[in-house]
Amino acid sequence: MVYPIYVYGHPVLRKVAEDIDRNYEGLDQLIDDMFETMKQSDGIGLAAPQIGKSIRIFVVDGTLMSDQEPEMAGFKQVFINPYITRRTGEVVVMNEGCLSIPKIYEEVNRESTIHIEYFDRDWKFHKEIINGFKARIIEHEYDHLDGVLFTDMVSPLKKRLLKSKLAAISKGKFDVDYKTILPKQKVK
Ligand code: NI
């Protein structure tokens, strides 16, 4: 099943998401659905709050860009109850976008290396050090679990310039090929 994407301004995107336990009902299906939803919307990452669920889980898939970015080969996985325990390395600036904030792309500073702990879909625990583009994608998705959006992290000047664009997005003034839920829209 493909979920609609919750759009900027919806309160669920601002909540701190909660850990799940291994008895979480329908977890396997949910993971499959998140991958499917991400694919349908051409995303390289999708966090549960973006489909209206305030739980600590996100999926990534960078495999389609492995032609240009060789490090993305095989980078398709789910992160359950992830915690970034350390961020190191140099601060790198890169353009980011987000399925919940259609058609906005801005430069964001992030540390190049992260230490992360998480469970995979078999509930195997992982403790890894990840850097580069992968770390970038993970940090963006991870922020969603803490109610943080990339537009929060741009310069004060950019923020001022973005304000009216973000307000327009909240009102549905955008055009995308995937289904969305607006802040005041009722879910059927
Ligand atoms: Ni995002």
Side-chain angles (χ1 to χ4, degrees), residues 1 13-14 28 39 55 57 108 111 113 129 138 183:
M1 157 189 180
L13 295 174
R14 290 308 191 179
D28 252 347
K39 199 175 175 190
I55 53 174
I57 175 169
V108 179
E111 278 95 344
T113 303
I129 299 172
I138 290 169

Side-chain angles (χ1 to χ4, degrees), residues 2-184:
V2 172
Y3 282 93
I5 304 285
Y6 284 62
V7 162
Y8 187 93
H10 198 291
V12 73
L13 295 174
R14 290 308 191 179
K15 278 197 201 163
V16 176
E18 291 185 357
D19 279 338
I20 57 173
D21 65 45
R22 50 188 80 199
N23 301 317
Y24 187 87
E25 210 183 310
L27 180 59
D28 252 347
Q29 186 63 49
L30 174 66
I31 293 169
D32 287 345
D33 290 345
M34 286 181 72
F35 276 114
E36 200 184 337
T37 302
M38 174 171 58
K39 199 175 175 190
Q40 280 286 318
S41 47
D42 287 324
I44 53 175
L46 179 73
Q50 293 181 276
I51 56 165
K53 296 182 186 297
S54 192
I55 53 174
R56 298 192 81 85
I57 175 169
F58 64 78
V59 293
V60 298
D61 185 359
T63 56
L64 280 179
M65 54 168 61
S66 57
D67 284 351
Q68 307 90 27
E69 306 279 346
E71 62 178 308
M72 287 296 129
F75 188 57
K76 180 179 179 182
Q77 61 185 103
V78 59
F79 293 78
I80 301 172
N81 298 345
Y83 281 91
I84 293 178
T85 55
R86 246 181 102 191
R87 297 170 199 251
T88 59
E90 54 189 324
V91 172
V92 179
V93 62
M94 210 189 232
N95 238 5
E96 291 189 20
C98 181
L99 295 174
S100 295
I101 314 176
K103 308 278 165 80
I104 303 276
Y105 302 93
E106 292 294 343
E107 289 184 335
V108 179
N109 287 314
R110 293 189 191 273
E111 278 95 344
S112 60
T113 303
I114 54 166
H115 296 231
I116 187 168
E117 302 177 0
Y118 65 96
F119 293 87
D120 64 22
R121 75 185 294 165
D122 299 319
W123 286 98
K124 200 175 149 219
F125 180 72
H126 295 262
K127 207 170 173 175
E128 293 170 2
I129 299 172
I130 300 172
N131 57 44
F133 201 2
K134 287 182 188 176
R136 166 74 51 166
I137 296 168
I138 290 169
E139 285 174 271
H140 176 114
E141 299 312 323
Y142 184 84
D143 278 353
H144 276 296
L145 306 184
D146 288 335
V148 174
L149 302 169
F150 81 93
T151 46
D152 302 342
M153 297 166 71
V154 302
S155 68
L157 174 66
K158 282 267 171 62
K159 245 182 228 169
R160 276 217 315 277
L161 296 171
L162 273 177
K163 215 172 169 189
S164 61
K165 287 185 190 172
L166 292 173
I169 285 173
S170 296
K171 289 181 187 130
K173 290 177 188 152
F174 57 82
D175 185 25
V176 291
D177 291 333
Y178 49 90
K179 282 192 192 143
T180 55
I181 301 267
L182 298 177
K184 286 184 179 141

